[in-house]
Amino acid sequence: MAALQTIDLTAVFTASSFKKKAVATNVAQQARDSAASSKKVKSFVFFEVEILDAKNKEQLCFLDKVEPNATVGEIKSMFHKSYPQWYPARQSIRLDPKGKCVRDDEVLQTLPVGTTATFYFKDLGSQVGWTTVFLTEYAGPLFIYLLFYSRLPFIYEEEHEFSTSPHTVVHLAGFCHSFHYVKRLIETLFVHRFSHGTMPLRNTIKNCFYYWGFTAWLAYFINHPLYTPPFYGDQQVNLALGTFVVCELGNFSIHITLRNLRSEGSKMRKIPKPTKNPFTWLFFFVSCPNYTYEVGSWIGFTIMTQCLPVGLFTLIGFFQMTVWAKGKHHMYLKEFKDYPTLRMPIIPFLL
């Protein structure tokens, strides 16, 4: 008779218990993974964007399922699909109907809005590229001044048609004025990098009226047959010419320095600093030395010609450039904590 086999019941129950624990562990792990996955999905919340007319508060567009990391520029592009006549450069998107325009690089989830964001739209009107704006503004004065310098028939009396002035300062002024605007045209084409892509067409027209109108006014008197040279003669003219040349070189040097401050296409902002070029050392004292040199050039031209319209053009230009310089200076102070405290906006130690 075969021997009976004995079964170790302890081992059987132990193995069964181990299997149950393994199954329970796997179920718990799957539950945790499912919960984590659900949590991740829930953490990614889409935004709803409502765009209203800033004037009458009527809804113009409703964008559903906008990603939280979308930029204002991308929202403008989405809005443009609904309204092709309002391309992104023409749009002003604001958080408040009368508030400031939100920058294109602002990210939706960083703005003070809820998951249903409300923006207000304002039409900025037809836009013109900055290169076109500057070429138009600067080519006009260059051409207009030469018309008066040539003394065309419809400008002065008949006996002075196509005549030339006997005064050297008149020819020198014509050269300096032409040089100034040729330099500006060259800088527009090969030096300047524009942070903003466009300007409203109506502003372009106003700027052209300002530049072209003032040029016609001052050119008429400088090239007039009855024009009288400066009171102090050659000494005054030579001093003014030296001032003009130095300031034109300084202005050009600053523009080159600002161009080299960042690479093309980069939006990274840096503190402008002096270089080995002595003309850039004005950065030690002012935030916008390009405006300082620009005003200096026109002061030199005013002294050279001793002409009232030139003086008025210089004064108005100084006021406008002071406003621009103060704006940039405050922006630098706000953006850079280590910005040099010695600097003033446009005039060293004063303004």
Side-chain angles (χ1 to χ4, degrees), residues 292-312:
T292 309
Y293 282 124
E294 178 78 9
V295 173
S297 294
W298 284 106
I299 290 176
F301 194 73
T302 302
I303 296 172
M304 179 192 302
T305 58
Q306 198 171 289
C307 182
L308 179 60
V310 180
L312 291 176

Side-chain angles (χ1 to χ4, degrees), residues 3-14:
L4 293 174
Q5 294 180 349
T6 61
I7 300 175
D8 189 352
L9 295 178
T10 304
V12 171
F13 285 118
T14 302

Side-chain angles (χ1 to χ4, degrees), residues 263-283:
S263 58
E264 187 173 0
S266 173
K267 294 186 178 180
M268 182 180 296
R269 298 175 60 83
K270 299 178 183 177
I271 299 176
K273 296 180 179 179
T275 66
K276 295 180 180 179
N277 183 346
F279 288 109
T280 66
W281 294 352
L282 198 54
F283 269 124

